Amino acid sequence: MHTSISEILKEKTLKSSRRSLPCLAQSQTHPQNLNHFLSVPLSPEPKTYTHSVSASCTHITPPPTETSQDVYMEEREVGESEPKTDETFLVQQKPVSRAKLEARTDSVQGNNLKTPSGLMFRDGKKRIDYILVYKKSSPQVEKRCTFERNLRAEGLMLEKEPSLTNSDIMFVKIHAPWDTLCKYAEQMNIRMPFRKKCYFTDWKKKTMGSRFQLRFRQLKSWLPRNPMKLDKEALPDLEETDCYTAPFSRARMHHFTINNRETFFSNSTRSRIVHHVLQRTKYEDGKSKMGINRLLGNSTYEAAFPPHEGSYKSRHPIKTHGAQNHRHLLYERWARWGIWYKYQPLDLIRRYFGEKIGLYFAWLGWYTGMLIPAALVGLFVFLYGLFTMDSSQVSKEICEANTTIMCPMCEGNCSSWTLSDSCVYAKVTHLFDNGGTVFFAIFMAIWATVFLEFWKRRRAELTYDWDLIDWEEEEEELRPQFEAKYSRKERVNPISGKPEPFQPFTDKLSRLMVSVSGIFFMISLVLTAVFAVVVFRLIAMEKFASFQWEFVKKNWQFATSGTGVCINFMIIMSLNVVYEKVAYLLTNLEHPRTESEWENSFALKMFLFQFVNLNSSTFYIAFFLGRFAGRPGDYNKLFNRWRMEEAAGSQDLQQQRWMRERNSAGVYKIRNSSSRLLQNWWSRRKMKRAGEQSNSKEELPQWDRDWNLQPMNAHGLVDEYLEMVLQFGFTTIFVAAFPLAPLLALLNNIIEIRLDAYKFVTQWRRPMPARATDIGIWHGILEGIGVVAVITNAFVIAITSDYIPRFVYAFKYGPCVDKGYRHEKCLRGYLNNSLSVFDMGEYKNGSYHPWYCRYRDYRAPPWSPEPYEFTLQFWHVLAARLAFIIVFEHLVFGIKTFIAHMIPDMPKDLCDRMRREKYLMQEMMYEAELEHLQKERKKNGKRYHHEWP
């Protein structure tokens, strides 16, 4: 039995859920009763169009005596940007001066923000939705003229304007009229508001009663205000009503709330529609000769971008005069460094830059917030190691071992050394390798799972608030390159039922195999570079250990490891330039179907290249360094020349992680910021000079200012995500060897958020707003990193650190074996127990003079029946290490799986709200259609009733 809307309205109205999708600034005029019908035909707007004067291309046929080749020239064209079937387009007005246009103020997107100058056509009425830039000296005149003529045929309006800062630059301003917007909004299945959302059902709050809610609000008002939240007064533009949305349809236009055609489609939606047309408009005859991307590639156009909404700065303070535009509001409430501690205005970010960029900043903010508990726990583990550094039994024994002679670390001029020389090194090692290491490794594995699971819930809330629940990947358009390549082979799309280009399986498989072969080749190149660094370390070890300078000779381990890290880092930075080009080439070779598939494929390749490049040397130090060195008297040598390097516990790994993380973060910041800042500074300098020469600095239009900004990265958000995902790997993988990694990542991300915000708002041209429901392939990569982190941390604790040997000694060989307690004193004698003896004696004057040195291993002494063979303790330690790896992995994976199943991907109240809204939408669509048909019958004088006709 269906419940009518009129009966539903009798329910007690509850507080509505906030939806970020704007309903229109005229939402105050929306009917409060849902039965009020919105399908009353709108009065046709008076179509008063100006005498549009624009520069376009005219085809001139040469005389027979001249060359038969067509000639294209630029001339002033009058009134061809509108369809000629409507007489109202011929209404002429006087040209409006630029000074008058700058003085005009109007409503933008239904808010009280002022209209920035330079965002309208010369008539002051038509909004600029997109900007094309080309050089007058470009030889591609024919392609450009054909392309612009086809754009007009699609219904777009064009107007040209020369640049005030460069005489060779011409701007093509594009405006999408109402009919064109409606046509392509229907083709693109753009969801638009059709009815005001007056309520939603939250049964928990309803059953708890209003008295408790009132008391809770009073208690909350007494509490101090959260300083991280943005004031509602600071973002007045976001205080809008909520609406139900549905795919736009011209046949059902009476369902949608259209009070103002100028503000019905937002700026970002208009830009997306124009971009869709630009991607599929031909510039020559032939299916492959289409799209703005190809025209940008062959230098027909220099750039294509949607304009910014004015300047991001204002002469007047925002507190007293308000924001001039959305860009100014974003700068004041998001991009400034002074509000680094504030929450991000995600709704405003999404509205200005699109859902895809909004999801990136939402994920980055969520990741940064989740780093706080991980950083605190890691800091506590580090402080625990700091406070127990002097009381550590192992460190004490190392510092007091003045008589313990260690075997030489190299051959030739190397001499023996005392164990007490590594006293500082041992204390520093204890800061990271102490009793809290195992706990922290387990905690970080669980933290990674909790972070990803709660991000799924956060993403579900955002997709609901941003009206992306019903947006499917099948609605994404095909890439123009894919359409051009496989236009001759079509098949019916099983989702839409329409024919579309199709890539055969054999062709796809062959291209994929070539791409995979290229990936393996690049990975082998990385491994070759790592091997070269290993050889360098062996040579450097021998040189530093026999150095004449006593300071270098004493700290040869640190010098060898430090120089190895620096050399490896320079190789990494050099290979990064090659990786990007190879990944771009291999991805284009695959011919992905959609833009999201292209981006996912490119992102996966870049991640694999960068991950192997950054972590291959770390894996070598953690799991291979010193494992094949041999023993004194029987050392293994590389190429029978250089002696293999011995392991130094976890010191090398800690140094590697510290230097790698700090250097990588610093280089990324410098590379991503300095070049853009310098380029924009030079562009502003040229603009200033041009303004001084033309005395029109204040009149510089917005499109000219945007042209002098730098374009966004060619790969979209891949570089931004890649930097953060690699940092996530630094934070979780090998975290047992470096507990301060989450704290460093937290400090880095606080800077990263504002740095990225500053780039997007001030340094980059406005990117094309794109839609997305999640972060793409990066979520799967993060889950893979979480699995790798559990395995690597288990091996680091079991193999690289001294935790297992100390554990075995305390329970099996130490002084507390027969006692019922385990304490630091139980490790007395551990150092002597973990060092083996080697006889370096020699014959002098016919007699043998024994001389013993020590080395790290579990081998029998030279005077035993089986000298230098592994002892029983070695096999006990090896068995304990293998057992620890198995128990640790099963325990942590079990906890991760349990937590993943316990935390649902979508909150229950959100599921109930979505089901309730789906039911109400069906009811409203039914009643709206019924009322529309009844009014049509009444208008035609026919009998009508309340049942479905």
Side-chain angles (χ1 to χ4, degrees):
M1 179 177 180
H2 293 285
T3 305
S4 64
I5 298 299
S6 59
E7 294 178 0
I8 297 176
L9 286 173
K10 296 179 181 179
E11 298 178 1
K12 184 178 179 180
T13 304
L14 299 178
K15 184 180 178 180
S16 61
S17 62
R18 190 174 184 278
R19 297 289 290 271
S20 303
L21 185 68
C23 285
L24 301 173
Q26 296 79 8
S27 56
Q28 290 81 359
T29 62
H30 287 185
Q32 297 298 326
N33 191 339
L34 290 179
N35 283 327
H36 187 281
F37 184 57
L38 296 178
S39 62
V40 179
L42 295 173
S43 58
E45 297 180 359
K47 300 181 180 180
T48 58
Y49 298 92
T50 63
H51 182 77
S52 178
V53 181
S54 61
S56 62
C57 305
T58 301
H59 178 240
I60 300 177
T61 304
T65 57
E66 299 181 2
T67 178
S68 60
Q69 184 179 1
D70 292 345
V71 179
Y72 286 80
M73 62 175 296
E74 303 280 351
E75 68 168 13
R76 309 291 293 179
E77 182 189 20
V78 180
E80 285 194 9
S81 57
E82 289 288 346
K84 298 181 180 180
T85 56
D86 198 332
E87 296 295 334
T88 58
F89 290 117
L90 302 180
V91 179
Q92 299 183 1
Q93 296 179 357
K94 295 181 180 180
V96 184
S97 64
R98 184 182 297 275
K100 293 183 179 180
L101 290 181
E102 292 181 353
R104 291 186 178 182
T105 57
D106 197 4
S107 175
V108 178
Q109 291 201 39
N111 52 49
N112 295 325
L113 302 180
K114 297 180 181 180
T115 301
S117 62
L119 293 179
M120 296 290 180
F121 274 25
R122 293 191 187 93
D123 58 6
K125 296 181 180 180
K126 301 180 183 65
R127 185 193 308 270
I128 299 176
D129 300 319
Y130 224 87
I131 299 292
L132 301 180
V133 185
Y134 69 89
K135 290 184 178 180
K136 299 178 183 178
S137 58
S138 173
Q140 307 288 351
V141 179
E142 181 179 353
K143 295 179 181 178
R144 185 172 63 250
C145 293
T146 304
F147 184 71
E148 293 175 5
R149 183 169 61 250
N150 291 336
L151 289 179
R152 292 188 181 90
E154 294 292 337
L156 299 180
M157 300 175 63
L158 276 62
E159 185 179 73
K160 296 190 177 182
E161 188 86 18
S163 173
L164 299 180
T165 59
N166 192 335
S167 59
D168 192 34
I169 294 297
M170 181 71 72
F171 297 100
V172 180
K173 300 174 288 184
I174 302 178
H175 168 75
W178 170 256
D179 294 337
T180 305
L181 291 173
C182 293
K183 170 186 174 182
Y184 285 100
E186 183 176 10
Q187 292 183 8
M188 299 169 64
N189 292 323
I190 296 179
R191 302 182 67 88
M192 301 302 296
F194 72 91
R195 192 63 66 90
K196 182 181 177 182
K197 183 188 297 183
C198 297
Y199 51 84
F200 77 94
T201 304
D202 192 338
W203 296 108
K204 293 183 179 180
K205 291 184 179 180
K206 189 173 182 179
T207 55
M208 291 175 70
S210 59
R211 179 178 297 180
F212 176 79
Q213 295 178 2
L214 181 61
R215 295 288 179 85
F216 181 75
R217 291 194 208 99
Q218 291 177 353
L219 178 62
K220 191 175 180 180
S221 63
W222 294 338
L223 297 176
R225 188 175 59 182
N226 188 353
M228 299 179 67
K229 290 185 177 180
L230 290 169
D231 300 333
K232 293 184 178 180
E233 294 80 6
L235 301 172
D237 190 57
L238 297 182
E239 297 299 323
E240 296 180 348
T241 56
D242 305 325
C243 293
Y244 297 106
T245 61
F248 185 79
S249 173
R250 288 179 291 179
R252 297 178 177 268
M253 192 177 296
H254 53 276
H255 288 172
F256 298 92
T257 309
I258 310 176
N259 292 334
N260 189 341
R261 292 185 175 182
E262 295 298 325
T263 58
F264 181 67
F265 295 103
S266 63
N267 280 352
S268 59
T269 303
R270 298 172 70 99
S271 299
R272 278 201 299 131
I273 293 176
V274 174
H275 182 76
H276 175 86
V277 178
L278 293 175
Q279 290 281 59
R280 283 152 182 80
T281 301
K282 294 183 178 181
Y283 59 87
E284 284 185 8
D285 293 334
K287 292 188 176 182
S288 62
K289 307 295 184 179
M290 61 183 294
I292 186 64
N293 291 341
R294 290 179 175 269
L295 293 177
L296 292 173
N298 58 27
S299 299
T300 302
Y301 289 98
E302 298 297 320
F305 53 88
H308 275 295
E309 296 181 3
S311 176
Y312 64 90
K313 288 186 178 180
S314 176
R315 298 178 179 177
H316 307 288
I318 190 174
K319 292 183 178 180
T320 57
H321 291 74
Q324 297 297 317
N325 49 70
H326 287 161
R327 189 187 183 194
H328 180 214
L329 189 61
L330 281 171
Y331 176 77
E332 293 290 338
R333 303 305 180 187
W334 180 45
R336 288 194 305 109
W337 294 98
I339 56 173
W340 61 270
Y341 59 92
K342 294 283 188 179
Y343 288 147
Q344 300 182 90
L346 296 178
D347 294 337
L348 187 59
I349 298 171
R350 167 253 180 175
R351 183 184 303 181
Y352 193 82
F353 293 108
E355 289 81 1
K356 193 171 186 178
I357 296 177
L359 275 175
Y360 163 72
F361 282 103
W363 175 83
L364 181 56
W366 184 259
Y367 171 45
T368 304
M370 289 293 292
L371 278 174
I372 296 177
L376 292 177
V377 176
L379 182 61
F380 290 153
V381 172
F382 175 79
L383 293 178
Y384 171 78
L386 181 64
F387 294 146
T388 60
M389 181 174 56
D390 295 331
S391 61
S392 172
Q393 183 65 30
V394 178
S395 299
K396 286 181 179 180
E397 293 183 1
I398 292 177
C399 294
E400 295 172 358
N402 297 324
T403 59
T404 303
I405 306 299
M406 302 298 294
C407 297
M409 301 297 294
C410 65
E411 298 178 355
N413 296 327
C414 297
S415 60
S416 58
W417 53 285
T418 59
L419 185 59
S420 59
D421 294 341
S422 61
C423 176
V424 177
Y425 219 169
K427 289 185 177 181
V428 173
T429 302
H430 183 75
L431 293 176
F432 307 101
D433 187 7
N434 51 66
T437 301
V438 178
F439 164 75
F440 188 60
I442 297 175
F443 172 82
M444 287 303 298
I446 298 175
W447 172 86
T449 302
V450 172
F451 160 67
L452 293 176
E453 293 300 322
F454 275 97
W455 163 247
K456 293 179 183 178
R457 296 168 62 89
R458 176 60 175 160
R459 185 196 65 84
E461 294 175 356
L462 288 175
T463 52
Y464 170 78
D465 291 339
W466 294 351
D467 200 45
L468 296 171
I469 293 294
D470 297 328
W471 188 82
E472 299 293 340
E473 188 176 354
E474 286 78 10
E475 299 179 20
E476 189 176 1
E477 303 107 10
L478 300 177
R479 295 182 71 237
Q481 294 84 348
F482 181 86
E483 290 180 328
K485 178 67 177 178
Y486 300 102
S487 59
R488 297 181 179 179
K489 302 177 182 179
E490 293 184 347
R491 74 168 183 178
V492 177
N493 189 316
I495 306 300
S496 62
K498 300 178 180 178
E500 66 178 16
F502 168 69
Q503 184 181 15
F505 176 76
T506 55
D507 182 78
K508 184 176 182 179
L509 181 62
S510 61
R511 293 178 179 276
L512 184 62
M513 292 300 295
V514 174
S515 179
V516 172
S517 301
I519 293 175
F520 278 107
F521 173 78
M522 294 302 300
I523 292 177
S524 63
L525 183 63
V526 175
L527 299 180
T528 304
V530 173
F531 180 76
V533 174
V534 171
V535 175
F536 169 81
R537 287 174 63 100
L538 298 181
I539 300 175
M541 177 188 68
E542 183 177 341
K543 297 299 181 181
F544 286 134
S546 59
F547 210 73
Q548 295 182 356
W549 189 9
E550 188 64 25
F551 177 78
V552 176
K553 186 176 181 180
K554 187 176 181 180
N555 299 277
W556 63 269
Q557 288 181 329
F558 182 83
T560 301
S561 179
T563 53
V565 170
C566 293
I567 294 296
N568 187 43
F569 185 76
M570 289 188 291
I571 294 176
I572 289 172
M573 293 298 105
S574 301
L575 289 177
N576 282 342
V577 180
V578 181
Y579 291 150
E580 185 173 344
K581 296 181 179 179
V582 172
Y584 189 81
L585 177 64
L586 295 177
T587 305
N588 287 334
L589 181 65
E590 296 176 4
H591 284 294
R593 180 175 174 271
T594 61
E595 288 294 338
S596 61
E597 290 181 4
W598 187 96
E599 187 171 320
N600 289 340
S601 178
F602 179 79
L604 180 61
K605 294 179 180 60
M606 286 295 296
F607 170 76
L608 290 176
F609 293 157
Q610 296 278 17
F611 183 80
V612 175
N613 194 17
L614 292 174
N615 293 281
S616 54
S617 59
T618 308
F619 273 91
Y620 165 76
I621 293 175
F623 305 127
F624 298 99
L625 179 63
R627 310 301 169 191
F628 311 101
R631 63 172 179 84
D634 189 20
Y635 284 114
N636 298 322
K637 295 184 178 182
L638 183 64
F639 303 132
N640 294 323
R641 171 66 178 84
W642 295 289
R643 173 179 151 184
M644 297 297 293
E645 189 175 0
E646 295 185 21
S650 58
Q651 297 97 328
D652 286 339
L653 182 59
Q654 295 160 7
Q655 183 181 358
Q656 180 85 359
R657 300 309 294 174
W658 171 270
M659 297 183 67
R660 178 63 52 78
E661 183 161 349
R662 290 300 88 212
N663 290 343
S664 298
V667 169
Y668 271 119
K669 296 293 181 296
I670 295 174
R671 187 187 65 179
N672 294 338
S673 303
S674 61
S675 60
R676 302 278 181 174
L677 291 174
L678 291 175
Q679 291 173 356
N680 285 332
W681 172 81
W682 182 253
S683 299
R684 288 193 300 269
R685 188 168 180 269
K686 293 191 299 182
M687 290 170 56
K688 185 177 180 180
R689 288 183 176 181
E692 292 175 354
Q693 295 176 0
S694 60
N695 296 324
S696 59
K697 179 180 179 181
E698 299 297 332
E699 299 179 358
L700 196 65
Q702 186 60 42
W703 56 78
D704 228 328
R705 297 177 184 271
D706 290 349
W707 161 246
N708 286 279
L709 295 176
Q710 298 301 314
M712 186 181 172
N713 295 330
H715 311 130
L717 293 171
V718 172
D719 293 340
E720 312 298 330
Y721 273 116
L722 181 62
E723 180 183 355
M724 290 295 102
V725 170
L726 291 175
Q727 184 208 83
F728 181 81
F730 289 145
T731 306
T732 54
I733 302 177
F734 299 107
V735 74
F738 191 61
L740 289 180
L743 178 61
L744 297 179
L746 175 62
L747 299 177
N748 176 81
N749 285 10
I750 293 175
I751 301 174
E752 182 70 24
I753 290 177
R754 303 304 162 181
L755 184 62
D756 286 348
Y758 186 80
K759 289 189 300 185
F760 273 92
V761 175
T762 67
Q763 302 300 309
W764 287 355
R765 298 171 192 162
R766 187 177 183 180
M768 207 289 295
R771 307 200 82 187
T773 57
D774 53 21
I775 60 176
I777 199 174
W778 298 110
H779 189 274
I781 293 176
L782 292 173
E783 290 182 338
I785 291 177
V787 174
V788 174
V790 175
I791 300 174
T792 54
N793 283 303
F795 276 86
V796 166
I797 297 174
I799 297 177
T800 308
S801 71
D802 292 334
Y803 178 80
I804 298 300
R806 293 196 302 262
F807 180 84
V808 172
Y809 177 81
F811 278 84
K812 184 68 177 177
Y813 300 94
C816 303
V817 173
D818 299 331
K819 299 180 181 180
Y821 66 94
R822 296 292 178 265
H823 194 263
E824 191 71 24
K825 295 181 180 180
C826 297
L827 292 177
R828 288 179 178 177
Y830 166 76
L831 181 63
N832 184 65
N833 178 265
S834 62
L835 296 177
S836 299
V837 181
F838 177 72
D839 186 5
M840 296 182 63
E842 56 183 5
Y843 287 93
K844 288 184 180 180
N845 300 325
S847 61
Y848 181 76
H849 298 274
W851 182 58
Y852 301 105
C853 65
R854 310 295 297 272
Y855 62 98
R856 290 176 56 90
D857 209 341
Y858 294 98
R859 292 180 181 270
W863 54 80
S864 66
E866 296 180 354
Y868 306 119
E869 293 295 330
F870 289 115
T871 62
L872 182 62
Q873 186 175 356
F874 169 82
W875 301 109
H876 286 167
V877 172
L878 180 60
R881 283 173 170 171
L882 296 178
F884 176 83
I885 293 174
I886 295 174
V887 173
F888 183 88
E889 290 183 355
H890 282 72
L891 175 64
V892 175
F893 280 132
I895 296 175
K896 287 169 62 70
T897 304
F898 175 76
I899 293 176
H901 283 84
M902 286 296 295
I903 302 176
D905 294 346
M906 186 176 294
K908 186 178 182 304
D909 59 340
L910 181 60
C911 294
D912 296 339
R913 196 183 311 165
M914 291 170 54
R915 294 175 59 187
R916 176 69 172 171
E917 289 190 5
K918 185 177 181 180
Y919 167 75
L920 294 178
M921 288 173 60
Q922 294 176 351
E923 290 290 324
M924 285 186 291
M925 293 291 289
Y926 169 80
E927 291 194 3
E929 190 67 24
L930 177 62
E931 188 172 356
H932 175 68
L933 293 177
Q934 290 174 351
K935 287 189 176 183
E936 290 293 329
R937 289 189 176 186
K938 183 177 181 180
K939 184 189 300 184
N940 297 332
K942 297 182 180 180
R943 184 179 179 182
Y944 63 95
H945 47 79
H946 294 282
E947 300 296 333
W948 186 262

